[in-house]
Amino acid sequence: MKDIDILKTIADNVVEMEEELTAKNSKKALEMNINPLTIINQGLVIGMNEAGRLFEENEYFVPELLLCSDAMYAGLEVVTPHIKKEETHVLGKVVIGVVEGDTHDIGKNLVKVLLQASGFEIIDLGRNVPARDFVDKAKQVDADLICLSTLMTTTMGEMKKVIELLKEERLRDRVKVLVGGGPISESFARSIGADGYGENAAGAVRVAKRVLNIPDALAS
């Protein structure tokens, strides 16, 4: 089986909500010496993106989307331990989470995996996180970057709250802020004063490195 075939199979497994097959074929891809990040980006992520499209077009509903995400996570569980970190030292500390009012964490989790693979130390606050918690944790751990995620337009304003609180705490010059998620755009990121916008998981890593002045060598 060719690399492109097994990657397409993994993507299809995710779309078809086949948790066991996704894990099995992810393991097979590793045995074929396919780069773990390639398996994630060109297999698991492609499948989850297709599931998201089907959801948007009302062909899939919440139960199907959750089963697709379970399949994707099964693949991630197999692949993630095989990702080699680029650096022997920590590139920076990142506080990451989904803003208050939103519990969709698939995108956040993908960004977390790739940031960890790239050599960052991650402090994951999870879902539905109040703005104050992001700032308090960043202050506590001396974070270099805060990554904020949302998939809901109604919670986008929470991202601006984080930036305003950083200013109040006189931390804004020291802590960079990266935003991302379905409704987020480059122009929105600029409008709230964020330092960067990640269009997708791999893009978020590139932007994180750029805003922290770290050379980008992440495999895609």
Side-chain angles (χ1 to χ4, degrees), residues 184-214:
I184 308 302
S185 64
E186 184 77 49
S187 59
F188 173 77
R190 286 197 301 267
S191 74
I192 64 171
D195 298 287
Y197 156 69
E199 184 177 2
N200 51 46
V205 175
R206 287 194 294 271
V207 175
K209 289 183 174 183
R210 177 174 57 77
V211 301
L212 294 177
N213 297 312
I214 298 168

Side-chain angles (χ1 to χ4, degrees), residues 30 46 51 84 131 135 137 144 185 189 195 214:
L30 288 171
I46 294 295
K84 295 179 181 178
V135 177
K137 180 57 71 172
D144 302 290
S185 64
D195 298 287
I214 298 168

